[in-house]
Amino acid sequence: MLKTRRIRLICRCLWLATPVLVLLFAHAAMAQTVTVGSKKFTESVILGEIARHLLDLEGIEVRHRREMGANRVLWNALVAGDIDMYPDYTGTLLEETLAGEVETLDELPDALARHGMAVTETFGFDNAYAIGMRRDRAEALGIRTVSDLKRHPNLRFGFGNEFLDREDGWPGLQAAYELPQTFVRGMDHDLAYRGVGEGTIDVMDLYVTGAEIEFYDLVSLEDDLHYFTNYFGVYVYRLDLIERHAEIPDILGRLEGTIDEKKMIGLNARVLRDGIPETVVAAEFIEEVFQTDEPVVVQEETMWTRLVLHTKQHLVLVIVSLLAAILVSIPLGIIAAKMPRAGNVILGVVGAIYTIPSLALLVFMIPLMGIGGPPAMMALFLYSLLPIVRNTHAGILGITRPLLESAEALGLPPIAKLMRIELPLAARSILAGIQTSAILNVGTATLGALIGAGGYGQPILTGIRLADTGLILEGAVPAAALALVVQGCFTLSERVFLAKGLRLQSS
């Protein structure tokens, strides 16, 4: 009998410990996985794929989080440990990331080490900034150098949002060249190329190894005052990565001097001009340069496999954030209706949150929650509060006085009155608020791709970057269809959540 009890006790302990053991093993597996990040432009994605293939060939478990955003997003993710490495440029590290901490390239390794980071040797190419115009426009105006722009104050400037604000970007350029232009707009860098190509803007910032220069027939203006510094391509990685995989510096070091400017332009052109996926371009580069015995494995992707993956990611973002918002918002709406002073504060706070630009709110979440799904879900949760809180508040306050007096005459206690009378009568208004939040979430969740959360925003971002309308529609059409499905589901849900009398009254 005693032995049987001991066996049962051991079994129960093992049963209780199983989830913990699973989590520990999962965490250990994730700790061994190397996460590579890349910025939101083609060259960075290609370099991220090259690193992924190289590490994979050496038997290292690796994943690539593509198109995560601009420089500061990647750096913050690296510092937080959400990624282990990403491709960057020496000029960006000197002039932007570590501005004020380091002045020369020789000081860079020590400065990075103070942050727990290291940098590889350069790949061999210099992807410096340049100022560019459409060739025919520059020739017509006789503009050959950046200084020549001073003679044309009415030119329209359109810069990538990052270049517009960074220290080595427009502010320093304007001061160095004393440029008088006042029409200066920030925009997505990929859209700026299209703007120059279509003639809606005249001048933009270029990456000198970008294939877009040839694609849109642009010309780089001579930097006659030598304002721009060198931007040699490198990988930045966490020092603790060496503790897990001591061989990684040697593996990445094999890329030293293997990519010159002409080679990098060619790799970019194969993606932009020929429509070849970055992962294929990177694999072919490795096979060519390192003469691998076996072809580099490239996982085939079809539109349908991407659609399934992005749908799963999008649904998780929307459903988790919406359920959390419902659990929080309805009680807040009830409190706001029952306690007017507290209600003014609650409605004011959720209203203020709703006015924060969605992209800014996503970026605010990164230092608190890292990158990927969690910060995107938190941002969507915060955006979902206002419609549900306000509609719950309005629904309860909109109940006519005679109905409330009838409940009081029956002697119902406050909780019973709320659950049996007020919430059922306010259900239509509450459901309308939840429906509004759900539909807004479906659309807003596309921005989550900017911080690595995936979803339908991923093909939209890639389509904008590659000027591929098909990819844009691959994300936009399912997002619109999902919004219609959500609306239809809420219409049907009225049969479940609304009392029969209320449904008959509405019909």
Side-chain angles (χ1 to χ4, degrees):
M1 185 69 176
L2 183 60
K3 184 182 291 187
T4 303
R5 288 181 178 178
R6 286 180 180 176
I7 293 173
R8 288 179 180 175
L9 180 61
I10 292 171
C11 291
R12 287 178 182 176
C13 291
L14 290 173
W15 181 78
L16 292 172
T18 297
V20 177
L21 293 173
V22 170
L23 288 174
L24 288 175
F25 282 124
H27 179 73
M30 287 300 294
Q32 293 303 312
T33 300
V34 176
T35 302
V36 180
S38 60
K39 300 182 184 181
K40 200 185 73 64
F41 62 96
T42 299
E43 183 169 294
S44 185
V45 177
I46 293 173
L47 293 173
E49 283 295 297
I50 288 175
R52 184 177 72 83
H53 286 313
L54 267 181
L55 298 179
D56 185 63
L57 282 174
E58 298 298 327
I60 296 174
E61 188 72 26
V62 60
R63 63 173 177 167
H64 180 196
R65 306 190 78 154
R66 305 157 54 111
E67 302 179 79
M68 287 175 52
N71 177 66
R72 187 53 60 177
V73 173
L74 270 293
W75 175 256
N76 289 340
L78 189 69
V79 171
D82 294 314
I83 60 174
D84 297 301
M85 57 178 289
Y86 71 95
D88 209 343
Y89 303 91
T90 55
T92 299
L93 292 168
L94 292 173
E95 303 291 338
E96 175 68 12
T97 307
L98 301 177
E101 298 183 41
V102 59
E103 295 183 359
T104 67
L105 195 58
D106 292 335
E107 301 172 6
L108 184 59
D110 291 337
L112 285 169
R114 290 194 291 271
H115 291 273
M117 309 298 170
V119 65
T120 64
E121 297 296 331
T122 62
F123 306 136
F125 70 91
D126 178 10
N127 186 15
Y129 272 118
I131 301 301
M133 298 180 65
R134 204 167 68 183
R135 187 179 301 277
D136 58 351
R137 179 74 165 148
E139 291 175 352
L141 296 176
I143 298 175
R144 187 179 60 82
T145 67
V146 178
S147 292
D148 292 338
L149 296 173
K150 293 171 64 176
R151 297 185 283 106
H152 303 276
N154 295 324
L155 288 175
R156 299 160 297 176
F157 285 16
F159 297 127
N161 290 307
E162 187 175 2
F163 182 86
L164 189 65
D165 297 320
R166 56 189 287 167
E167 289 299 319
D168 57 337
W170 168 243
L173 182 76
Q174 183 184 32
Y177 281 94
E178 299 179 350
L179 297 176
Q181 283 77 15
T182 57
F183 187 102
V184 182
R185 302 289 184 269
M187 60 185 68
D188 182 271
H189 196 247
D190 300 307
L191 294 180
Y193 278 115
R194 297 176 66 177
V196 170
E198 295 169 0
T200 55
I201 59 176
D202 302 303
V203 180
M204 69 169 292
D205 58 306
L206 306 176
Y207 306 136
V208 297
T209 57
E212 293 89 349
I213 296 176
E214 179 183 353
F215 187 83
Y216 291 104
D217 194 23
L218 309 180
V219 60
S220 300
L221 304 182
E222 180 187 344
D223 181 16
D224 49 311
L225 296 184
H226 306 289
Y227 170 75
F228 293 116
T229 186
N230 297 116
Y231 289 76
F232 297 113
V234 293
Y235 289 119
V236 185
Y237 61 91
R238 294 176 59 88
L239 283 173
D240 60 13
L241 183 60
I242 302 176
E243 299 174 5
R244 290 182 279 154
H245 300 283
E247 68 276 24
I248 279 184
D250 292 333
I251 296 172
L252 298 178
R254 294 163 60 190
L255 288 169
E256 180 182 356
T258 59
I259 313 174
D260 58 17
E261 282 84 2
K262 184 178 179 181
K263 186 67 175 179
M264 194 68 247
I265 291 172
L267 295 176
N268 288 327
R270 296 201 68 203
V271 175
L272 181 67
R273 182 191 61 212
D274 303 332
I276 300 174
E278 293 92 341
T279 187
V280 175
V281 170
E284 292 176 352
F285 164 80
I286 290 174
E287 292 173 0
E288 174 190 345
V289 171
F290 298 108
Q291 300 295 311
T292 55
D293 296 331
E294 298 180 3
V296 178
V297 177
V298 176
Q299 191 172 8
E300 291 289 337
E301 264 192 358
T302 66
M303 184 189 72
W304 295 111
T305 58
R306 292 195 302 267
L307 180 61
V308 170
L309 174 63
H310 296 146
T311 299
K312 290 179 180 178
Q313 294 170 338
H314 211 85
L315 285 174
V316 169
L317 292 176
V318 172
I319 292 173
V320 172
S321 60
L322 184 64
L323 289 177
I326 292 171
L327 293 174
V328 173
S329 298
I330 293 177
L332 286 178
I334 294 170
I335 294 172
K338 298 294 184 180
M339 304 169 63
R341 290 185 179 179
N344 290 333
V345 175
I346 291 171
L347 292 174
V349 170
V350 296
I353 292 173
Y354 198 77
T355 62
I356 301 174
S358 52
L359 183 56
L361 190 58
L362 284 169
V363 174
F364 290 158
M365 291 295 127
I366 294 176
L368 301 174
M369 306 184 70
I371 59 171
M377 290 175 194
M378 177 58 72
L380 292 172
F381 160 76
L382 292 174
Y383 274 122
S384 300
L385 295 177
L386 179 63
I388 305 175
V389 170
R390 186 173 291 280
N391 276 41
T392 302
H393 171 266
I396 292 175
L397 292 184
I399 299 172
T400 59
R401 187 61 191 170
L403 290 173
L404 296 176
E405 290 175 349
S406 299
E408 293 170 0
L410 292 172
L412 294 175
I415 294 297
K417 175 184 172 184
L418 175 67
M419 299 302 294
R420 296 184 180 183
I421 305 297
E422 292 175 314
L423 286 181
L425 290 174
R428 184 181 298 281
S429 178
I430 296 172
L431 277 176
I434 297 173
Q435 178 179 350
T436 300
S437 291
I439 294 174
L440 288 173
N441 271 12
V442 170
T444 308
T446 56
L447 294 176
L450 289 169
I451 58 171
Y456 293 139
Q458 193 67 56
I460 293 175
L461 290 178
T462 305
I464 292 173
R465 173 168 60 84
L466 300 178
D468 188 331
T469 304
L471 276 176
I472 296 173
L473 292 176
E474 188 178 308
V477 171
L482 181 59
L484 292 175
V485 170
V486 168
Q487 183 169 340
C489 289
F490 274 94
T491 301
L492 295 175
S493 68
E494 291 186 358
R495 298 182 179 182
V496 177
F497 295 103
L498 289 186
K500 184 176 180 180
L502 292 176
R503 296 202 305 270
L504 292 174
Q505 184 180 1
S506 63
S507 59

